[in-house]
Amino acid sequence: ETGVTQTPRHLVMGMTNKKSLKCEQHLGHNAMYWYKQSAKKPLELMFVYNFKEQTENNSVPSRFSPECPNSSHLFLHLHTLQPEDSALYLCASSQDPGGLGSPLHFGNGTRLTVT
Amino acid sequence: AQKVTQAQTEISVVEKEDVTLDCVYETRDTTYYLFWYKQPPSGELVFLIRRNSFDEQNEISGRYSWNFQKSTSSFNFTITASQVVDSAVYFCALSAPFFGNEKLTFGTGTRLTIIP
């Protein structure tokens, strides 16, 4: 198993659908993250979980709902998305909470298209 | 506030040429970390290197080298004798405590294309 696994790799959904992105890390890390990567924009931090507790919500719209049932799994629940939400969604993990000095380990991402 | 600037949006070089990717950062903190990540076409960002603000020694790892200069707030990345497999988007990033909130700030990335 690779370090951080994301499913699905690609997702096409309508604006009224409900779907979930899944992330699993096999590195024994304590912190997990969701990032959004849009074309020609810096990576945007969405959510941070440290020891299963959410410590960061970077002004993300409520149509994105994270869930972290344990330190190895992270979900992003999606509902009533907008076309501008189409992007690559990246999951990452790090050994130490807070991120200072701890490299992030990323998954392959989920390419989301909202129609 | 933290900021990372990668002024080069896209670079193309012929295989075996050397190429340098620029990174300039801004932070008010005296303690911070700088990173480089590589994003190949497969999508995942791969961690390449981390340097802390107290260590200005240049580092070499195979064909990769990094030049950290606090005087110019730069952390440049050089690939020597480039290969097609080096084609990717490269991100520079900064991590520094800011009002106790330790975030990783990414630059916009440089797309490097190595022409065979």
Side-chain angles (χ1 to χ4, degrees):
Chain A
E1 285 282 1
T2 55
V4 181
T5 304
Q6 288 186 246
T7 55
R9 290 297 308 274
H10 301 274
L11 178 62
V12 180
M13 59 186 290
M15 295 197 297
T16 57
N17 292 157
K18 289 184 179 181
K19 296 287 184 182
S20 295
L21 310 185
K22 179 182 176 182
C23 176
E24 184 175 0
Q25 59 99 357
H26 307 275
L27 300 169
H29 287 168
N30 298 311
M32 296 188 77
Y33 310 76
W34 279 116
Y35 279 87
K36 176 183 179 182
Q37 186 177 28
S38 305
K40 299 185 179 180
K41 292 176 71 175
L43 277 144
E44 300 173 54
L45 178 63
M46 300 175 71
F47 302 104
V48 181
Y49 278 82
N50 291 329
F51 295 103
K52 302 187 298 178
E53 299 297 321
Q54 184 176 321
T55 58
E56 184 83 26
N57 178 339
N58 213 22
S59 302
V60 180
S62 60
R63 57 186 183 269
F64 295 91
S65 175
E67 179 189 0
C68 188
N70 55 62
S71 58
S72 298
H73 293 84
L74 186 64
F75 295 89
L76 188 62
H77 304 300
L78 316 171
H79 64 97
T80 58
L81 295 191
Q82 304 298 311
E84 61 264 28
D85 296 323
S86 298
L88 181 67
Y89 288 84
L90 290 160
C91 174
S93 68
S94 66
Q95 177 62 50
D96 299 315
L100 183 64
S102 289
L104 298 185
H105 295 257
F106 285 84
N108 287 339
T110 295
R111 174 69 63 187
L112 174 66
T113 302
V114 181
T115 60
Chain B
Q2 299 176 187
K3 186 177 179 182
V4 176
T5 301
Q6 294 180 256
Q8 304 151 307
T9 305
E10 297 188 25
I11 301 176
S12 294
V13 300
V14 177
E15 195 174 19
K16 298 184 182 177
E17 288 185 354
D18 300 346
V19 58
T20 296
L21 309 182
D22 298 333
C23 174
V24 175
Y25 63 92
E26 296 176 30
T27 179
R28 291 183 288 178
D29 292 284
T30 56
T31 301
Y32 52 89
Y33 283 86
L34 294 162
F35 302 81
W36 275 95
Y37 287 85
K38 173 183 180 180
Q39 186 177 35
S42 54
E44 84 282 13
L45 277 82
V46 178
F47 164 70
L48 295 178
I49 190 172
R50 173 189 64 190
R51 301 308 303 274
N52 72 57
S53 52
F54 300 107
D55 183 2
E56 285 193 74
Q57 283 193 7
N58 292 331
E59 182 156 341
I60 298 175
S61 176
R63 295 183 297 107
Y64 295 172
S65 62
W66 291 268
N67 183 2
F68 176 28
Q69 292 194 341
K70 290 178 75 171
S71 60
T72 56
S73 297
S74 65
F75 186 43
N76 296 338
F77 174 29
T78 297
I79 301 175
T80 304
S82 60
Q83 299 177 2
V84 173
V85 294
D86 297 326
S87 296
V89 181
Y90 291 86
F91 291 92
C92 181
L94 166 70
S95 175
F98 180 69
F99 297 149
N101 188 6
E102 297 163 350
K103 287 187 179 181
L104 194 61
T105 301
F106 285 87
T108 51
T110 297
R111 181 175 299 277
L112 176 64
T113 302
I114 308 300
I115 303 166

